[in-house]
Amino acid sequence: MISVAEAIQIVKQQTRPLATERVKLEHALNRVLAEDIVADSDLPPFDRAQMDGYAVRAEDTAGAPVRLRIAGESAAGRGWHHELKSGEAVRIMTGAPVPAGADSVQQVELTHELKDHTVVELLESVEAGRSIVKRGAEIQSGETVLQSGTPINGAMMAVLAAFGYAEVAVGQRPRVGVLATGTELVSVTEKPGQDQIRDSNNYSIGAYAQITGATIERLPLARDETSILKKQIAGAAERCDVIVTSGGVSMGVYDVTKSALEELKAEIFFERIALRPGKPTVFARLPNGTLLFGLPGNPVSVAVTFNLFARTALLAMQGATEPALKYETALLARSVKGTVERESYLPAQLTTNDDGELIAFPLKWGGSSDFVAFALTTALVSVPAGTRSLEANALVRVLRLP
Ligand code: AMP
Ligand code: MG
């Protein structure tokens, strides 16, 4: 058995980035950047007023209250492009360019205009530089503002737009074939008959894969027969970069996923991980290069193993610099039990306490088939192998689930 960390390492090593493509900015959300994003202009592009008020020369205000002649008005999008002279003020709005000659903005609350609006009285003096963001103070033209390999979030969409990236280079979406195995399975549209259950794994796997940016193909449910499964995998491999199966990887007579892979001459990178739940997880490559994750059938094992391993591969294929989920540290809210030989990943909810500390509340659940309880999970608590139990207030490593 290999450790979880070793398995993640193997996934990273065996995964190659797909080609890149250019997409319109409106289609870039959640895609992984395949180019550095470089500022094509200073930010702000001009000395910008931070307040509504009056642009002035600070030295003119030293003996406040003072009266200054209003020489003009600078609004956002409609600046006043003359030189401000001593004894003058320019009425200015937030976001508007500060005229040449002015070195400060006095906020409107500390002023009042006299009756005919040609003169303003400043009630207090203002020091040079006040309420002005100098050109280039935030970003300078030519600076790299986002790095290649970063997944694009909503705030980054604004950055891309601000610097004129109407199109942006991103990693291609992996095509993922989702294949549930199990003679007991019927589809969501059917009422299960005797000894049958509805397939739910294809929906969690499909959803988790889509969250990473992959596109999915739902393959027909596969019976526990090597020859049929083999055909389905081989057919799907022609169209997919990755196949994610569930079920059929344990030691039972009808656990046929591995025999199908052997007959297909797949290269198996691992098939047993010191992990609970999820020990029999398989990672392999088919002769044509398609990667295959053979996840166990239990819905909770699926959620854990997909997010540890398959998710990492799908993000690495899109060129993500940090494809694996990141561990954080939290305080355990109540004691939990570990497993002798395996690292456990226990479902939990994350909150913070009044001291601002991250708290992991392990959920009560009925084991790896209890996917209803698992639906409330927001994080997994890692309990190291060989740890009998962890007490309340222990520091634990946690992974936030997507
Ligand atoms: P297996 O790994 O094939 O032995 O399956 C373990 C358990 O997970 C069994 O109780 C299966 O019925 C259940 N299971 C397998 N595949 C699915 C699926 N696609 N949806 C829901 N449950 C499943
Ligand atoms: Mg099965």
Side-chain angles (χ1 to χ4, degrees), residues 351-357 359:
T351 56
T352 48
N353 65 13
D354 290 344
D355 296 329
E357 293 163 321
I359 309 292

Side-chain angles (χ1 to χ4, degrees), residues 146-171:
L146 296 173
Q147 305 259 327
S148 181
T150 309
I152 298 169
N153 67 21
M156 293 174 191
M157 293 291 284
V159 175
L160 293 166
F163 295 113
Y165 282 82
E167 283 188 359
V168 61
V170 296

Side-chain angles (χ1 to χ4, degrees), residues 208 212 305-316 322-325 402:
Y208 285 134
T212 70
T305 56
F306 183 95
N307 284 302
L308 286 172
F309 311 117
R311 178 185 188 280
T312 302
L314 295 179
L315 281 166
E322 290 185 4
L325 287 176

Side-chain angles (χ1 to χ4, degrees), residues 2 5-15 269-270 283:
I2 57 169
E6 285 166 335
I8 291 173
Q9 205 46 45
I10 292 171
V11 168
K12 287 182 185 168
Q13 279 163 4
Q14 297 301 337
T15 309
F269 301 117
F270 57 72
F283 176 42

Side-chain angles (χ1 to χ4, degrees), residues 179 228-239 243 264 286 288:
L179 176 55
I228 298 179
L229 185 58
K230 206 175 115 181
K231 271 204 198 106
Q232 281 185 293
I233 292 175
E238 289 173 15
R239 303 181 300 273
I243 297 171
L264 287 167
L286 296 162
N288 79 331

